[in-house]
Amino acid sequence: MSDEAEDRFDTIISWALKIGVVVSLCLIVAGTMIVFIHNGSNGFSLNTLSNMDSNTAVNSSEIHLLDIASGVASLSGMYIIALGLWVLIFTPISVVAISFVNFTYGKNRLYMFMSAIVLFNLFLAMIFIT
Amino acid sequence: MSALAILLNFISIVVAGIFAGLLGSLTGLGGGTVLVPVLTLFYGIPIIFAVGASLISTIATSAGSASAYTKQRIANIKIGVGLEVATTTGAIIGTLTFAYVNANKMQWSIYVIFGSVLLFSLFPTIKKTLMEVPPDIPADWTTKLFQLTGSYFDAKLKKIVNYKGVRWWAGEIVMFFAGFISGLLGIGSGALKVMGMDWAMNLPMKVTTTTSNFMIGITAATGSSIYWRLGYIQPFLAAATAIGVVIGSYFGAKILVRISNGDIRWIFFGILSFLGVEMILRGLYLNHIISTPPLIQFAISLAVSAMMIGSSYIVVRMERRRIIHVR
């Protein structure tokens, strides 16, 4: 790969990481503010949401990925936080995806194959394993 | 609790996150290494939520600082992605092991493993305070096949450093364990990643720490997805720690390019050795193996870590003097 192409690749990745973190942080901050303003979210009081007891706390298993879109549309603070956290999880995944495209474009078969395995592991973790 | 008290609690967790993010990005070890002990020992948060919040926040530490390093072209993305094959596989197995430990009420063992991993991470860190650029060793068959070469501009040495990695397979083996530990303890396990690239592959420290920082996010994303489904992420807590570590890692990355490798490790060593001893003692206390009250545990940890830092400092100083004398 030429130096110029490599430079462009590094810049794209740097931007993808930056945008991912900024968007995620904005969503998390906005969601938190809404939770505090509404004194809770999704029928849970602020007290319940901030409870950290391992048996009774509100945790991520109660927030289903498919409900996030409708939750965000109804401006639910908790779902906006959840969306922010998922944007965070997707940020490094997008970088691997960009690398995959870059290696494919640069005809680097070995690294194309390796980035495909990494993507496979990431999606395996997200969808199949519980 | 009143809304104001909850808000103050939230802010104090954000502050813990800033502290963790700062140290995490300065060292390339990730914010979780500091965050988990701080949340469990000082905030009394159950280890499953501390580990969950830590792992997801680690992505922010990694992404925040990696964005700066990739722009400066110090981090080697190609080498990083290649090694991620092993770390993501390790992370999946580590996360499932953590779920097994929780289901069997063996959380105390996580404290002990955490503390031990922390203390063992420190040895390679201390040893490396003596070297900026690794010794030049001949390329092997993996150098060419896996394209392990690169260069970067070192602002402190004021020159372009060309490097070549070796023993790719050894790097992959270490990375598998790094991924496993990341999933098991909710940390970036940057220490092991650094060890893999530095000790096994002979890459320069700057490339190692920055590439490790970039890789941590990908490993943590794998573990976080599984943690989410298992319910180990408490959104309120994760929101606070994520905000904190983003701020901390942002400033950490700004500071890193200005200070030498040696300085970074000394700050880190002091704080981490304390947290490591404290975690081991707390784990043993929770399983009733020892019955020392928490305040005494605190004092013991302080004394042991002071002794460790003190003696290591003297050894490193003597070694430095010897190197200068030989020259």
Side-chain angles (χ1 to χ4, degrees):
Chain A
M1 208 186 333
S2 71
D3 250 19
E4 200 182 314
E6 200 135 345
D7 244 349
R8 200 171 50 223
F9 170 53
D10 283 352
T11 312
I12 293 173
I13 285 193
S14 172
W15 274 104
L17 289 166
K18 207 174 285 176
I19 293 169
V21 172
V22 170
V23 169
S24 131
L25 196 66
C26 290
L27 287 166
I28 293 171
V29 170
T32 308
M33 281 165 65
I34 293 173
V35 167
F36 274 103
I37 291 166
H38 288 175
N39 213 2
S41 179
N42 295 64
F44 297 112
S45 70
L46 194 53
N47 248 318
T48 315
L49 286 178
S50 61
N51 166 24
M52 304 278 173
D53 186 280
S54 55
N55 298 316
T56 55
V58 178
N59 67 54
S60 52
S61 68
E62 292 160 55
I63 305 170
H64 300 288
L65 291 188
L66 296 174
D67 299 338
I68 289 182
S70 57
V72 171
S74 61
L75 287 182
S76 142
M78 198 169 79
Y79 278 110
I80 295 174
I81 293 177
L83 179 66
L85 294 173
W86 272 100
V87 169
L88 203 54
I89 294 176
F90 266 100
T91 301
I93 299 178
S94 72
V95 167
V96 182
I98 294 169
S99 304
F100 175 75
V101 172
N102 184 58
F103 294 133
T104 310
Y105 182 72
K107 297 194 173 63
N108 191 337
R109 289 236 176 94
L110 180 67
Y111 275 89
M112 195 181 96
F113 178 66
M114 288 203 282
S115 46
I117 297 177
V118 177
L119 279 177
F120 173 78
N121 276 348
L122 282 161
F123 284 108
L124 189 74
M126 199 175 296
I127 298 163
F128 296 109
I129 300 171
T130 42
Chain B
M1 231 196 291
S2 72
L4 183 68
I6 294 172
L7 181 65
L8 288 176
N9 186 33
F10 186 87
I11 292 170
S12 77
I13 298 172
V14 172
V15 173
I18 295 177
F19 176 68
L22 195 67
L23 276 181
S25 82
L26 274 178
T27 52
L29 301 192
T33 321
V34 187
L35 199 55
V36 173
V38 169
L39 290 180
T40 51
L41 299 171
F42 302 113
Y43 288 79
I45 288 167
I47 195 142
I48 60 161
F49 292 145
V51 163
S54 161
L55 194 64
I56 206 163
S57 307
T58 295
I59 304 176
T61 327
S62 158
S65 37
S67 123
Y69 303 138
T70 44
K71 206 170 152 200
Q72 293 156 11
R73 299 197 56 187
I74 305 178
N76 191 319
I77 294 172
K78 193 194 279 175
I79 294 180
V81 169
L83 294 172
E84 277 300 331
V85 171
T87 53
T88 48
T89 310
I92 292 174
I93 297 170
T95 315
L96 296 177
T97 310
F98 183 62
Y100 176 83
V101 165
N102 273 308
N104 292 286
K105 306 268 169 238
M106 299 182 328
Q107 283 92 339
W108 67 273
S109 63
I110 298 293
Y111 282 85
V112 177
I113 297 170
F114 197 107
S116 314
V117 166
L118 222 167
L119 292 178
F120 277 108
S121 315
L122 293 171
F123 290 107
T125 314
I126 296 166
K127 196 178 142 244
K128 281 287 154 189
T129 53
L130 297 167
M131 245 180 265
E132 293 273 340
V133 179
D136 194 28
I137 60 172
D140 65 7
W141 62 275
T142 61
T143 310
K144 189 156 182 259
L145 180 61
F146 294 101
Q147 304 141 40
L148 308 177
T149 51
S151 63
Y152 69 96
F153 178 75
D154 193 307
K156 198 183 166 233
L157 300 173
K158 291 194 176 57
K159 63 169 189 179
I160 293 176
V161 177
N162 287 302
Y163 59 87
K164 54 178 183 291
V166 292
R167 291 187 294 261
W168 180 84
W169 53 273
E172 288 283 335
I173 294 171
V174 179
M175 290 303 165
F176 174 81
F177 286 102
F180 178 81
I181 293 294
S182 171
L184 181 69
L185 305 179
I187 60 176
S189 76
L192 271 170
K193 290 191 175 86
V194 167
M195 219 167 99
M197 280 181 279
D198 166 48
W199 167 76
M201 298 173 71
N202 201 44
L203 293 167
M205 207 61 198
K206 277 251 155 66
V207 177
T208 300
T209 46
T210 52
T211 307
S212 151
N213 229 323
F214 162 77
M215 291 173 64
I216 282 168
I218 302 168
T219 318
T222 316
S224 296
S225 311
I226 304 177
Y227 278 180
W228 188 283
R229 302 253 295 263
L230 291 170
Y232 294 166
I233 293 167
Q234 210 282 10
F236 190 79
L237 175 69
T241 56
I243 295 170
V245 296
V246 168
I247 300 170
S249 65
Y250 176 79
F251 288 106
K254 295 245 169 232
I255 301 169
L256 182 77
V257 286
R258 292 198 180 85
I259 58 175
S260 86
N261 291 332
D263 297 337
I264 302 167
R265 297 198 192 86
W266 278 113
I267 308 166
F268 193 57
F269 180 50
I271 300 165
L272 282 208
S273 58
F274 168 76
L275 294 175
V277 180
E278 182 77 2
M279 283 298 270
I280 294 176
L281 292 178
R282 186 60 60 93
L284 297 176
Y285 180 74
L286 287 175
N287 197 35
H288 310 292
I289 294 172
I290 58 167
S291 55
T292 331
L295 204 66
I296 310 271
Q297 288 173 30
F298 186 86
I300 294 174
S301 310
L302 211 60
V304 172
S305 55
M307 242 155 54
M308 282 169 65
I309 308 163
S311 52
S312 313
Y313 183 73
I314 292 168
V315 170
V316 169
R317 281 297 289 268
M318 277 164 59
E319 189 66 16
R320 268 219 181 111
R321 206 170 289 169
R322 195 181 62 80
I323 292 170
I324 294 168
H325 189 71
V326 169
R327 274 177 192 161

